[in-house]
Each structure stands twice: as structure tokens, then as C-alpha cells.
Amino acid sequence: MSEKVALVTGAARGIGLATTKLLIEQGWKVAMIDRDGPELTRAAKGINSAAPLTYDISIEDQVDEMMAEAIEKFGRLDAVVNNAGVADFGPIEETDFKRWRTIMDTNLDGVFLVSQAAIPHLKKTRGSLVNIGSISGLRASTLRVAYGTSKAAVIHMTKQQAAELGEYGIRANCVCPGPVRTKLAMAVHTQDIIDAYHDAIPLNRYGSEREIASVIAFLCSDDASYVTGQVIASDGGFDSTGVGLPALRK
């Protein structure tokens, strides 16, 4: 396991950073990718077996350079975690094409570009793609026409990857987090929003970054050697309840 190498995008914070730390605990080496260079440098400080690489995965030329540098650094690639994403929530009528493209450039195009660049290297190791979707890609919600659509597309892309790359031994799976207790979420979620989420989630709480990372790490590992084409909602049961659950509880 000590020779295995993962590439994690959006690794400077949140789920990406938590995944990086967990994989390293499990013996992996990690290429940490993020376009926020200063934050990435701070995040990687003191993390052994990691290499911080500053690239924007929405730009094709940068993705090619990123992959070349990662392979030069580590010599192989066993797993890719397509975690980088942007969120810009707003009413559907206020979502113009520029706003739409800002979301798609990273959330959808970036996943495609990184995956395509990784395929030749993953074929050599019979490796794993783990794409990060969202509960918003599984069920519609207000203010998420661009974000939710981008994540729904990632879910379908994952299935395409599983269908076509399985013959090479490459596995492709998608993790769809529900509400996660990140610093950003806690900064913008009012108490009313927090209470509403708790009411709607069967486990009555937000998830943690570490809990999402645990699912990702499993899918990267040999323990998931016969798991591909799957969409796993790590969401405390949020997707399973649909509508009406809060009312039923009262």
C-alpha cells in the first residue's frame, strides 16, 4: 500500500483535505491539487507523503501539466478523487449563462478533463476514479439549477466511465455528500436552516468531512475491488426520506 498514489483535487480544504489526510494515514502518497496556491501550501504544511500542486482543473492545458507533474513526482497513479467544485446558489431566473458556465467549468468540465488525463495511467495500475457528486444531483432543490445539474451530470459521467473503462480494470464510483459540517456551511447556515436540515435527515445531524472521506477512501481501496458504477449518498439518509418526514415526526 505504501507505493500507491492518489491524486485529489480541491485538496486545500474541506472534504478534499480530509480525504488527503485519511489516505495518507492508510499508507498512500497523495498529489494535492488546488487552484488556491497559498491555501494549498498552508494545508499541505507538515503532511508527509503529499505534494501540493497548484493548478486550475477547469483549464485543459493546466490539467495536462498537472498530470505530467504528478506522474513525474510519484511515477504512478492508482486513484483519482475528483473533488474540486464551486457552489454559486441563486434563483433560476437570475442564473445567466455566465453564472451557469462558471459552475460547469469546474464541476463538470474539470471532472471530465482530469479523468481523461488520468485514464492512461489508471490503465497501468487498474486504478480507481472517485467522483464527488452531491445530494443536489440526486434530488432537486431551490437555488441549485446550475449546481444540481452539474452534479447530476457527474453522476451520469461516472456510470459512463464504469461502463467503458471496466475492461481495463478501472473502477469508477460517485460519492454524493449530503449537508456537511464545514466551516463555510456553519458560517452561512442560519439556525433555522440547521434545524430544518436536522429535521429532514434521519440521523438528525450534518455529516463530517471525515465521514465523507471514509467512503471515498474505501472506494479507492482494494476493499472495493468489485464495486464500480455505483452512486453512494453519504447523507445521513437525507435522500431516502423524500418529502414529508419532518411533518410525520411531529
Side-chain angles (χ1 to χ4, degrees), residues 10-22:
R13 57 178 63 81
I15 292 170
L17 181 55
T19 300
T20 295
K21 291 178 177 179
L22 180 55

Side-chain angles (χ1 to χ4, degrees), residues 2-238:
S2 61
E3 295 182 350
K4 287 202 170 186
V5 175
L7 183 147
V8 179
T9 68
R13 57 178 63 81
I15 292 170
L17 181 55
T19 300
T20 295
K21 291 178 177 179
L22 180 55
L23 287 172
I24 288 173
E25 287 176 22
Q26 295 177 354
W28 292 69
K29 297 177 182 178
V30 178
M32 300 174 66
I33 312 300
D34 207 284
R35 65 186 179 187
D36 187 341
E39 186 64 26
L40 181 63
T41 299
R42 285 191 290 271
K45 187 176 182 179
I47 301 180
N48 296 326
S49 302
L53 308 178
T54 304
Y55 291 99
D56 185 337
I57 55 98
S58 71
I59 301 172
E60 184 176 7
D61 290 345
Q62 290 200 29
V63 171
D64 293 337
E65 293 173 11
M66 172 203 75
M67 193 60 64
E69 184 173 358
I71 295 300
E72 182 180 5
K73 176 73 176 178
F74 292 112
R76 61 182 289 155
L77 185 63
D78 299 88
V80 171
V81 179
N82 280 308
N83 169 72
V86 294
D88 179 10
F89 303 145
I92 191 168
E93 293 177 287
E94 295 178 11
T95 302
D96 59 19
F97 188 62
K98 181 179 180 181
R99 196 171 188 177
W100 172 274
R101 281 302 333 158
T102 297
I103 297 295
M104 296 299 170
D105 284 347
T106 298
N107 292 11
L108 181 57
D109 298 350
V111 174
F112 173 77
L113 290 171
V114 173
S115 298
Q116 294 295 100
I119 287 171
H121 307 289
L122 294 176
K123 286 170 68 173
K124 296 176 184 178
T125 59
R126 301 176 70 85
S128 174
L129 284 165
V130 181
N131 301 324
I132 308 306
S134 169
I135 190 69
S136 295
L138 291 170
R139 56 190 290 185
S141 181
T142 55
L143 311 181
R144 288 167 169 79
V145 63
Y147 181 78
T149 302
S150 73
K151 294 300 188 177
V154 166
I155 289 169
H156 186 76
M157 187 195 306
T158 303
K159 294 181 179 182
Q160 288 289 153
Q161 291 169 336
E164 297 191 47
L165 300 177
E167 63 182 290
Y168 305 119
I170 297 174
R171 296 179 294 106
N173 294 286
C174 186
V175 176
C176 291
V180 178
R181 184 173 284 276
T182 63
K183 290 181 180 179
L184 177 60
M186 293 303 97
V188 300
H189 285 188
T190 65
Q191 190 59 50
D192 285 345
I193 292 174
I194 293 170
D195 291 343
Y197 272 130
H198 284 193
D199 284 343
I201 297 170
L203 291 184
N204 296 114
R205 63 177 177 84
Y206 285 60
S208 71
E209 295 163 349
R210 178 80 174 197
E211 286 175 312
I212 310 302
S214 294
V215 179
I216 297 168
F218 164 71
L219 292 171
C220 289
S221 76
D222 291 338
D223 289 337
S225 58
Y226 201 53
V227 180
T228 193
Q230 299 306 300
V231 180
I232 301 177
S234 185
D235 66 348
F238 191 25

